[in-house]
Amino acid sequence: MPVEKNTLKHFERLTQNLSFMSMRTRHVSAHFSDLAVHPEVCIEHIWVNQMVARATVPMMQEVVRVAKTMPNDPISAPLIKYITKHIAEETDHELWYANDLELLGISKEKMYARIPPPNVAALVGSQYYWLQHHHPVAFMGYIACLEVYHPTIAYVDDLIKKSGLPAKGFSTIMEHAEIDAHHSQDIIETLNALPLTEEQYQMVEMSAFQTFRYVALVMEDVCKVAPVLENKQQHEQENEQKDKQQNA
């Protein structure tokens, strides 16, 4: 029997195939939102965002560099065009986060002296491996996960209200909630327009899968900053839920 050709657009296919992973990330984000009453949890969240932002522009510059070594690949030119535009859009965001953290009491010296957690390093580092040792199109799965599924303005407002922290300390997260709605449409349109081979699509999907996985792990680490009692209660609730499922 002939194999049916997939008629879904790339982003539609990605969304359909990874729905279970995005659900896990949303579940962890909901738990984080519950813990936002603890200011230290929100500060940690902003801090890990700053760590990730440190690598964003350098990684995109590497995407462009590697793509330029593949002039005969049909996706190189549109990929370079989009990423070059997005570099300009993302420049200095790391510094924006750093300024927010200073407002929240974290000095730049302390900020940059801290070793980034393993899950942050794995989130970013896996992308460097794929773009340097396989194909730079992998980055499209990473950025689709991070910017299409962005926080909403209402979500950020809720964090500010719950934490009691100064709203100015959330200015960069709020900025992303506002501008990523536009960025997400650019990403979707660019991804759908790329003349991906099936192997290249699979690379994008694997990258997005990996990104969702590590975003969930990073957010779980953020939640662990909550007071010990809060985490103990959460652990007990999870064990109770597991017992119920096993006895069902």
Side-chain angles (χ1 to χ4, degrees), residues 59-113:
M59 184 154 47
M60 287 195 289
Q61 290 170 336
E62 187 65 5
V63 170
V64 172
R65 185 193 70 78
V66 176
K68 285 180 177 178
T69 69
M70 304 174 172
N72 296 325
D73 190 321
I75 70 172
S76 289
L79 184 62
I80 291 169
K81 181 180 179 181
Y82 169 72
I83 296 298
T84 300
K85 173 175 176 272
H86 201 47
I87 286 172
E89 294 170 337
E90 293 293 322
T91 296
D92 292 336
H93 287 205
E94 170 202 351
L95 298 178
W96 297 359
Y97 278 118
N99 291 337
D100 291 350
L101 285 168
E102 280 198 305
L103 284 170
L104 297 173
I106 308 296
S107 69
K108 282 191 170 71
E109 182 181 7
K110 182 178 180 180
M111 215 178 296
Y112 289 97

Side-chain angles (χ1 to χ4, degrees), residues 38-239:
H38 304 291
E40 58 267 49
V41 174
C42 287
I43 291 172
E44 180 71 3
H45 176 53
I46 296 168
W47 202 339
V48 297
N49 271 278
Q50 195 269 346
M51 292 177 185
V52 172
R54 293 179 206 173
T56 302
V57 170
M59 184 154 47
M60 287 195 289
Q61 290 170 336
E62 187 65 5
V63 170
V64 172
R65 185 193 70 78
V66 176
K68 285 180 177 178
T69 69
M70 304 174 172
N72 296 325
D73 190 321
I75 70 172
S76 289
L79 184 62
I80 291 169
K81 181 180 179 181
Y82 169 72
I83 296 298
T84 300
K85 173 175 176 272
H86 201 47
I87 286 172
E89 294 170 337
E90 293 293 322
T91 296
D92 292 336
H93 287 205
E94 170 202 351
L95 298 178
W96 297 359
Y97 278 118
N99 291 337
D100 291 350
L101 285 168
E102 280 198 305
L103 284 170
L104 297 173
I106 308 296
S107 69
K108 282 191 170 71
E109 182 181 7
K110 182 178 180 180
M111 215 178 296
Y112 289 97
R114 178 182 174 185
I115 300 172
N119 284 322
V120 171
L123 169 67
V124 175
S126 56
Q127 296 301 316
Y128 271 110
Y129 182 88
W130 278 324
L131 75 89
Q132 290 178 337
H133 301 290
H134 188 66
H135 200 292
V137 76
F139 184 77
M140 291 304 295
Y142 174 82
I143 201 167
C145 174
L146 294 185
E147 295 202 21
V148 174
Y149 299 91
H150 57 84
T152 64
I153 293 173
Y155 181 83
V156 180
D157 278 336
D158 188 54
L159 296 182
I160 295 169
K161 181 179 178 180
K162 286 179 176 177
S163 70
L165 291 168
K168 287 185 177 180
F170 293 79
S171 63
T172 305
I173 292 181
M174 182 63 82
E175 180 78 9
H176 279 91
E178 294 170 351
I179 66 176
D180 280 353
H182 170 66
H183 288 175
S184 65
Q185 192 57 41
D186 281 349
I187 293 166
I188 292 169
E189 291 175 0
T190 299
L191 183 58
N192 285 339
L194 289 175
L196 300 177
T197 64
E198 178 59 22
E199 181 184 359
Q200 289 168 341
Y201 168 79
Q202 291 295 335
M203 180 69 263
V204 172
E205 183 175 296
M206 186 180 296
S207 172
F209 178 95
Q210 178 90 332
T211 304
F212 273 126
R213 176 172 177 257
Y214 275 110
V215 166
L217 290 172
V218 167
M219 291 304 294
E220 285 174 358
D221 290 343
V222 168
C223 291
K224 291 174 184 175
V225 175
V228 175
L229 179 61
E230 191 83 38
N231 279 316
K232 182 179 178 182
Q233 290 173 339
Q234 173 67 15
H235 182 66
E236 289 173 349
Q237 290 172 0
E238 289 175 353
N239 285 338

